[in-house]
């Protein structure tokens, strides 16, 4: 292929020398699938988990048309569209949810393997349920993120799983012969009366991570007249649902850029009877909310982008929270104490006090100047 993957950008996601927009796994997936893609008729190729457009635009520049794409992260979806505008190929694909129409009658599926086995199980089940009987799945990733169990998960829904030779620390699993397909449904688990729902790929799944649990223990009562109440980076919606349950009459705005998280949060709110008071939105930070509109924001900031660990995400969240908070509004944050976020919040938001601290986490409340 003559398409230069090095020309791709991650924007509007974080960018940097150690954060490439494409890698050796993308190249290997494209190479291993080249013959199958060349024979695929328009509308029979699907791409799932494309980070920033390498698989989609690489396929488009090889002649693929009618490509159906699903990217869980909104910033990845936005980066795909921005790269297509710069480099061409925007007329070759459409974006879809992780639903049957994404892969209906598809004969070739390109997949960046997710880190979560539950996410892989959801994807494999969906392909087996809706794709063509002769579909072939090219599922690749970096060796450091791959495990033999991924082969076993694929075998739950495919009769044959072949393994490519490794190249540049990457490998591709090639699955065919779909069977026992199913449309993804959320899993459920109860924690002290709270029902947590999660689709595959949602952070922490149906459990409550220890940082969120510590934040829940500290959350104050919130009155409905305080302005918009927000659960930023809501994940499975545990904090948003808890706020709604503890504060009758309160409406909560929950947002996350992950499609799996948004679907999970909606299911969690519904399972606990507060769906009518929890509005869950897929968004990049708080860009859908106007300045000085919120009175209270809860946040458990992530510290990774895909497989890369970075401290660059949280400051962006603090800054956008400061924009959205009205003067006197509060940002309640839980963070790993080793990250030393307090000076950053003091600078970006306002006076910050420690609410609680244990052996690993700190909960702070920052008041908007």
């Amino acid at each position: 292929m003559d398409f230069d993957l090095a020309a791709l950008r991650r924007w509007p996601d974080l960018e940097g020398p150690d954060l490439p927009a494409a890698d050796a796994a993308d190249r290997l997936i494209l190479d291993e699938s080249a013959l199958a893609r060349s024979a695929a008729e328009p509308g029979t190729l699907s791409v799932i988990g494309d980070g920033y457009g390498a698989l989609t635009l690489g396929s488009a520049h090889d002649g693929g048309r009618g490509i159906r794409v699903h990217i869980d992260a909104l910033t990845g979806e936005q980066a795909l569209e921005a790269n297509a505008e710069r480099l061409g190929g925007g007329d070759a694909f459409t974006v879809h949810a992780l639903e049957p129409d994404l892969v209906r009658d598809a004969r070739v599926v390109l997949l960046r393997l997710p880190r979560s086995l539950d996410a892989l199980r959801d994807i494999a089940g969906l392909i087996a349920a809706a794709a063509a009987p002769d579909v072939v799945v090219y599922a690749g990733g970096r060796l450091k993120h791959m495990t033999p169990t991924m082969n076993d998960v694929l075998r739950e829904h495919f009769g044959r799983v072949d393994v490519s030779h490794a190249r540049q620390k990457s490998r591709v699993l090639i699955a065919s012969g779909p069977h026992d397909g199913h449309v993804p449904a959320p899993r459920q688990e109860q924690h002290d009366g709270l029902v947590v729902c999660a689709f595959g790929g949602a952070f922490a799944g149906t459990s409550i991570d220890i940082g969120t649990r510590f934040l829940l223990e500290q959350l104050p009562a919130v009155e409905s007249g305080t302005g918009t109440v927000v659960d930023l980076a809501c994940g499975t919606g545990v904090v948003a649902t808890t706020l709604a349950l503890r504060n009758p009459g309160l409406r909560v705005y929950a947002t996350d850029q992950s499609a799996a998280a948004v679907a999970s949060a909606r299911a969690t709110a519904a399972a606990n009877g507060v769906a009518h008071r929890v509005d869950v939105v897929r968004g990049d930070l708080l860009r859908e909310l106007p300045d000085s509109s919120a009175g209270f924001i809860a946040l458990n900031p992530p510290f990774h982008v895909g497989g890369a660990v970075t401290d660059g995400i949280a400051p962006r969240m603090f800054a956008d929270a400061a924009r959205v908070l009205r003067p006197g509004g509060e940002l309640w944050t839980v963070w790993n104490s080793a990250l030393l976020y307090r000076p950053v919040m003091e600078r970006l938001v306002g006076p910050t006090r420690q609410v609680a601290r244990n052996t690993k986490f700190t909960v702070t409340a920052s008041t908007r100047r």
Side-chain angles (χ1 to χ4, degrees):
M1 57 178 290
D2 58 4
F3 179 59
D4 184 8
L5 295 183
L8 295 172
R9 290 188 55 188
R10 297 167 60 102
W11 184 89
D13 208 341
L14 291 174
E15 295 188 297
D18 298 325
L19 296 172
D23 61 18
D26 294 315
R27 294 179 177 87
L28 187 57
I29 293 170
L30 289 169
D31 287 347
E32 289 288 335
S33 66
L35 185 59
R37 287 187 291 112
S38 68
E41 297 179 357
T44 62
L45 170 63
S46 297
V47 177
I48 303 175
D50 198 1
Y52 301 95
L55 301 179
T56 304
L57 297 183
S59 296
H61 281 262
D62 283 346
R65 290 296 179 267
I67 304 168
R68 288 169 283 174
V69 184
H70 173 75
I71 301 176
D72 181 68
L74 179 58
T75 50
E77 188 177 299
Q78 292 168 335
L80 164 61
E81 292 169 351
N83 282 321
E85 186 174 345
R86 288 190 308 108
L87 305 173
D91 60 345
F93 67 87
T94 53
V95 175
H96 296 256
L98 192 65
E99 296 174 349
D101 282 348
L102 169 67
V103 293
R104 196 176 307 280
D105 299 324
R107 300 187 63 193
V108 178
V109 177
L110 309 187
L111 168 65
R112 274 302 298 246
L113 284 164
R115 301 283 290 277
S116 162
L117 293 177
D118 282 339
L120 179 57
R121 189 168 284 111
D122 279 359
I123 293 167
L126 179 65
I127 297 170
D134 60 350
V135 67
V136 181
V137 181
Y138 296 85
R142 304 289 283 165
L143 289 174
K144 63 183 179 181
H145 300 315
M146 297 176 67
T147 67
T149 310
M150 290 178 170
N151 303 47
D152 298 333
V153 171
L154 287 174
R155 289 190 182 99
E156 293 174 13
H157 298 289
F158 293 91
R160 178 170 178 171
V161 177
D162 296 312
V163 182
S164 76
H165 292 295
R167 189 179 79 188
Q168 294 180 298
K169 301 181 179 179
S170 303
R171 194 185 296 278
V172 173
L173 309 179
I174 303 169
S176 57
H179 61 80
D180 297 322
H182 66 83
V183 176
R187 300 154 185 84
Q188 292 189 3
E189 186 175 344
Q190 190 167 116
H191 301 268
D192 300 323
L194 179 73
V195 179
V196 179
C197 301
F199 286 87
F203 175 71
T206 56
S207 65
I208 301 178
D209 70 274
I210 55 178
T212 296
R213 193 177 292 276
F214 191 46
L215 177 61
L216 292 178
E217 294 170 0
Q218 317 305 326
L219 286 177
V222 182
E223 298 180 2
S224 57
T226 57
T228 302
V229 174
V230 179
D231 180 7
L232 173 55
C234 67
T236 56
V238 169
V239 172
T241 297
T242 299
L243 283 167
L245 288 171
R246 291 182 186 175
N247 303 275
L250 189 71
R251 290 196 70 89
V252 183
Y253 178 95
T255 180
D256 203 294
Q257 71 154 321
S258 162
V262 167
S264 301
R266 287 174 179 158
T268 296
N272 290 279
V274 293
H276 60 297
R277 293 194 287 115
V278 178
D279 301 315
V280 187
V281 176
R282 185 176 181 228
D284 182 15
L285 302 178
L286 296 173
R287 296 208 166 95
E288 303 300 317
L289 293 181
D291 296 357
S292 303
S293 61
F296 182 91
I297 298 175
L299 171 63
N300 181 0
F303 53 88
H304 58 86
V305 177
V309 176
T310 174
D311 59 1
I313 306 170
R316 296 174 64 191
M317 292 184 161
F318 301 153
D320 209 36
R323 176 189 65 80
V324 169
L325 280 171
R326 65 189 191 183
E330 290 190 331
L331 170 66
W332 282 60
T333 310
V334 62
W335 41 281
N336 189 306
S337 301
L339 295 173
L340 304 176
Y341 281 151
R342 185 168 177 175
V344 182
M345 289 186 285
E346 291 267 6
R347 174 172 55 85
L348 295 175
V349 183
T352 299
R353 69 184 188 276
Q354 178 176 301
V355 175
R357 185 184 181 103
N358 62 17
T359 56
K360 188 169 184 179
F361 292 99
T362 299
V363 174
T364 52
S366 305
T367 304
R368 179 73 169 92
R369 295 185 183 90

